[in-house]
Amino acid sequence: MLCKSGPNTKSTLEVVHRHGPCNQRGKGKVNAPTITEILSHDQSRVNSIQSRLDFSSGKQSLRSSKTTLPAKSGSSLGAGNYIVTVGLGTPKKDLSLIFDTGSDFTWTQCQPCVKYCYKQQETLLDPSTSKTYSNISCNSALCSQLSSATGNSPGCSTSTCLYAIQYGDQSFSIGFFGKEKLTLTNSDVFDNFFFGCGQNNRGLFGRTAGLLGLGRDKLSIVSQTAQKYGQYFSYCLPSTSSRTGYLTFGKSGVPSGVAFTPLSNSQGQSFYFIDITAIIVGGTKLSISPTVFSNSGTIIDSGTVITRLPPAAYSALRAAFRQQMTQYPTAPALSLLDTCYDLSKYTTVSIPKISFLFNGNVRVGLAFSGILYAGSASQVCLAFAGNSDASAVGIFGNVQQKTLNVVYDVAGGKLGFGPGSCS
């Protein structure tokens, strides 16, 4: 097992897979979900993202300095897949939080758990024992900011502001809106960090303590730490759950060789939009009209597992991939993955390379782990799926991001890809 830490920089957190052996804080954890459950939860998340975007766009469809945290993968849930450990309170309490570029709001379960708290791997944060916690009042201007960060209007209990947030798989958290000291690393400490102190929390959060929101809203950690980090962060997601990655805040120490594509169409949105211009399979650019991608738009999301493509793009990708895999026996579909192979009798396998071209002629080659998704050796599948509707937003998911250094220069309006220093 290779649970190596990421870059040793002062603003870096370790990233681990929630159900993997590198999640040392998760001993005695609940059973990992099956592949079918992971893909089902993933589809719920995708449905939720697409309906949020349809609603906001009027498409009412049915459907400077830097900090690095180690990133670990927590198997799929509606709220995200990878976890980091941060500190809250005085004295500091370490908590494992799912980090999610598709969410803005950070929250953790808190004592006294007025309604319900699921079982988490660490003891609960108790605000009454912290010297630096305070509630936000209902009449504060900050309270009204919850509407954009959570998608729900704030509530009020006596004079304390209440938040409520729900995710695509119907998981939710409700509680007090407060502020507290946030410790990312020993040298990166933030007073008055605004977050949710959950009193009623249910759903597929596993045994994590809550969620770290990396979206674009004013209440996201990216915005709240902007004075120090300049709205700049990067991460590398490990190739397997038995390895670690990292989440780094700030520009310092970002590896060289990063190519940037503009962030697009993101005014007023939490999500990070990018423009795919082409897909290359086995060295050949697929014949896909650029309007196929521009009509739907694409976001990059750390919490979606499988990349979703417009139907015409996925059909072209699937056909080209199948054409170059005819030497291998096929296998039954695995949930939403419809192009699968039985590789159980092979010691080495040759697969076509897949690359994506993004606006600005940025070419991103995918790792082996970003092309195939294995249920077992006898059921190894192309790790992409097609949307059912050509206008539904595409999503560049976390399987395809594995081992890449993904750099978010939010203030500069661009997103970068480079070779990551995790594997």
Side-chain angles (χ1 to χ4, degrees), residues 18 21 61 76 171 254:
R18 208 162 34 113
S61 86
S76 178
S171 301
V254 171

Side-chain angles (χ1 to χ4, degrees), residues 64-67 182 184 188-194 213-233 249-251 272 408-412:
S64 40
S65 55
K66 137 181 176 174
T67 286
L182 170 70
L184 294 181
D188 290 59
V189 181
F190 299 87
D191 294 322
N192 301 321
F193 178 74
F194 301 106
L214 287 166
R216 305 165 60 97
D217 189 83
K218 288 179 182 176
L219 286 179
S220 79
I221 187 173
V222 179
S223 299
Q224 289 197 57
T225 60
Q227 192 169 356
K228 183 171 182 67
Y229 302 134
Q231 291 182 288
Y232 199 104
F233 68 95
F249 291 96
K251 293 184 181 181
Y272 296 100
Y408 292 72
D409 182 356
V410 184

Side-chain angles (χ1 to χ4, degrees), residues 132-387:
T132 44
Y133 178 85
S134 60
N135 285 320
I136 304 301
S137 70
C138 298
N139 55 15
S140 163
L142 284 161
C143 187
S144 61
Q145 288 184 18
L146 285 172
S147 296
S148 62
T150 66
N152 293 297
S153 298
C156 197
S157 173
T158 58
S159 61
T160 299
C161 183
L162 300 179
Y163 77 91
I165 188 164
Q166 185 171 17
Y167 302 96
D169 56 15
Q170 309 310 306
S171 301
F172 65 85
S173 175
I174 301 168
F176 301 120
F177 185 35
K179 64 180 179 180
E180 180 58 286
K181 179 176 283 189
L182 170 70
T183 302
L184 294 181
T185 66
N186 290 337
S187 59
D188 290 59
V189 181
F190 299 87
D191 294 322
N192 301 321
F193 178 74
F194 301 106
F195 77 111
C197 213
Q199 302 296 315
N200 185 12
N201 320 283
R202 294 178 187 267
L204 300 169
F205 303 110
R207 296 186 65 169
T208 67
L211 188 138
L212 187 71
L214 287 166
R216 305 165 60 97
D217 189 83
K218 288 179 182 176
L219 286 179
S220 79
I221 187 173
V222 179
S223 299
Q224 289 197 57
T225 60
Q227 192 169 356
K228 183 171 182 67
Y229 302 134
Q231 291 182 288
Y232 199 104
F233 68 95
S234 58
Y235 57 71
C236 182
L237 305 179
S239 59
T240 72
S241 64
S242 58
R243 294 173 183 263
T244 66
Y246 55 85
L247 168 63
T248 298
F249 291 96
K251 293 184 181 181
S252 170
V254 171
S256 58
V258 176
F260 285 92
T261 184
L263 289 169
S264 63
N265 180 36
S266 29
Q267 286 299 106
Q269 296 283 5
S270 301
F271 298 109
Y272 296 100
F273 279 84
I274 51 178
D275 293 324
I276 299 172
T277 57
I279 301 174
I280 298 164
V281 179
T284 302
K285 186 186 288 189
L286 302 182
S287 180
I288 304 169
S289 168
T291 58
V292 167
F293 298 113
S294 60
N295 286 346
S296 65
T298 303
I299 64 166
I300 184 168
D301 182 35
S302 69
T304 296
V305 180
I306 301 295
T307 288
R308 300 310 202 278
L309 295 171
Y314 177 66
S315 295
L317 170 63
R318 177 179 61 189
F321 188 81
R322 285 177 174 176
Q323 190 175 13
Q324 298 185 44
M325 290 287 287
T326 53
Q327 69 270 43
Y328 300 111
T330 58
L334 176 60
S335 181
L336 52 85
L337 306 178
D338 64 8
T339 299
C340 303
Y341 299 91
D342 179 356
L343 304 179
S344 58
K345 295 182 174 60
Y346 297 86
T347 52
T348 60
V349 176
S350 176
I351 65 167
K353 291 182 178 178
I354 296 177
S355 299
F356 277 66
L357 272 180
F358 295 97
N359 188 12
N361 203 32
V362 173
R363 181 168 176 162
V364 178
L366 304 183
F368 183 92
S369 58
I371 296 172
L372 294 176
Y373 194 82
S376 65
S378 60
Q379 197 175 26
V380 181
C381 307
L382 179 63
F384 296 84
N387 283 327

